Amino acid sequence: MKKKIIEGAIEVYKKKGPKFTMDDLAASLGMSKKTIYTVFRDKKTLLIDMVDFTFDAIKEAEEEVMKRPGLSTEDKLRGILGVMPDTMQGVDFNQMYTLKDKYPEAYALITKRLENGWELTLSVLNQGIEEGVFVPVDDAVFQMIFESSLERFLNGDELSKNHIEYMDALNQLVDILIDGIKVK
């Protein structure tokens, strides 16, 4: 039931952004709000679980990238950095900054999850350095550049103002980072 509600909330979020209501969710799922509230105490709790669900899906998608046969180290790093699970396709990440004021716990969790779970990414980066595919770069600097860029994407409306979709910005960021460290 919990997964069904979270997946339904993600679908409603795709249509209405973070301003969706529990009434919107109940109508979309064809269930009562009372049923939803037996699983989630309130919208804040639901949003926090949605963040965890999303980041868990990203980590699973990263593992899937690693299982693809024949990928070069460069392709693995590009895949990991630019991964977007199917369930999150169509989500307008440009509106995430609106969570910061109304649901600071959910927004803080986004930041925390962005800053953690880098072991796989950094191991692929270091493998590429050892193979001579990438120039030596400091793990911490690479991670900080990527994290701070994503936080900037999510922290304001600059992407929207410039008519840039989140996935386009993410793909450009990945290209800039990878092309910047590739051995020429």
Side-chain angles (χ1 to χ4, degrees):
M1 178 70 80
K2 183 176 182 177
K3 183 179 178 190
K4 178 181 178 181
I5 294 170
I6 291 172
E7 288 174 342
I10 291 169
E11 290 305 311
V12 173
Y13 184 99
K14 288 177 186 179
K15 296 174 187 153
K16 298 198 171 216
K19 295 182 181 182
F20 76 88
T21 66
M22 295 302 259
D23 285 324
D24 296 330
L25 178 57
S28 175
L29 291 171
M31 66 175 61
S32 70
K33 281 196 319 187
K34 186 176 180 180
T35 302
I36 295 170
Y37 285 124
T38 63
V39 179
F40 294 99
R41 169 175 67 238
D42 52 26
K43 184 176 173 182
K44 177 181 85 170
T45 306
L46 172 61
L47 287 169
I48 288 169
D49 281 7
M50 285 172 62
V51 169
D52 275 331
F53 180 87
T54 299
F55 277 92
D56 290 347
I58 289 169
K59 292 301 171 195
E60 288 173 18
E62 288 176 354
E63 292 293 334
E64 290 301 315
V65 167
M66 294 301 293
K67 292 177 185 174
R68 291 184 199 149
L71 285 184
S72 68
T73 304
E74 177 185 336
D75 290 337
K76 287 177 185 176
L77 189 58
R78 281 184 190 278
I80 291 169
L81 292 173
V83 75
M84 184 59 61
D86 291 339
T87 57
M88 300 311 294
Q89 296 295 330
V91 170
D92 184 2
F93 290 97
N94 296 343
Q95 296 183 40
M96 284 293 183
Y97 72 95
T98 61
L99 293 175
K100 194 173 190 178
D101 294 327
K102 191 156 182 174
Y103 301 100
E105 295 92 346
Y107 193 83
L109 182 58
I110 291 169
T111 302
K112 180 181 176 185
R113 294 291 303 256
L114 281 174
E115 294 171 354
N116 293 298
W118 275 83
E119 298 80 15
L120 177 63
T121 306
L122 295 178
S123 71
V124 173
L125 172 65
N126 286 312
Q127 177 185 345
I129 292 169
E130 290 171 16
E131 292 172 354
V133 175
F134 304 132
V135 298
V137 293
D138 186 277
D139 289 358
V141 172
F142 186 87
Q143 181 178 339
M144 284 188 280
I145 290 169
F146 193 77
E147 282 176 13
S148 60
S149 296
L150 290 183
E151 286 177 20
R152 181 69 187 259
F153 293 169
L154 300 175
N155 220 2
D157 59 355
E158 286 87 7
L159 292 179
S160 293
K161 284 181 183 175
N162 290 293
H163 309 289
I164 302 169
E165 295 292 326
Y166 175 83
M167 283 306 300
D168 292 337
L170 178 61
N171 289 331
Q172 287 184 45
L173 172 61
V174 171
D175 287 345
I176 291 166
L177 283 174
I178 302 293
D179 292 343
I181 65 170
K182 277 176 39 177
V183 171
K184 312 281 187 270

